[in-house]
Amino acid sequence: MAEDPKAIGEMSFEEALRALEGVVRQLESGEVPLDESIDLYERGEALRKACQARLDAAQARIEKIVQGTGGVPSGTVPFDADGSQ
């Protein structure tokens, strides 16, 4: 398996998504030996979690948009990841 030189935590969302798509293509091909398939699956799961975390953070930021009079967005409120807001 050609390992991506960049650690998952250092990837942008788009890079992680492309890497995940590559893992899925390799696994779906059915041409990967079992041991390599297991490694690919584990990497794919780590990539999926990283992508989901980025999507969750983006959604939280969007949900914090403050609406002013007339329902027009007037700014944002900083997202507090520990949920104290």
Side-chain angles (χ1 to χ4, degrees):
M1 171 177 73
E3 191 69 27
D4 195 326
K6 192 182 255 188
I8 292 172
E10 297 173 0
M11 292 179 169
S12 69
F13 172 80
E14 292 77 12
E15 290 170 327
L17 187 58
R18 277 191 299 274
L20 179 56
E21 290 169 344
V23 166
V24 170
R25 274 192 299 278
Q26 285 183 282
L27 289 172
E28 287 179 340
S29 76
E31 298 179 13
V32 181
L34 179 60
D35 289 339
E36 191 174 333
S37 291
I38 293 168
D39 292 341
L40 276 169
Y41 181 84
E42 289 172 345
R43 179 160 175 81
E45 182 61 16
L47 287 162
R48 183 201 64 79
K49 286 179 181 178
C51 288
Q52 188 63 54
R54 297 259 174 90
L55 288 172
D56 290 346
Q59 181 178 358
R61 287 179 59 196
I62 290 168
E63 289 173 355
K64 290 290 185 174
I65 294 174
V66 178
Q67 291 188 1
T69 58
V72 177
S74 63
T76 60
V77 175
F79 174 68
D80 184 0
D82 69 6
S84 62
Q85 285 190 354

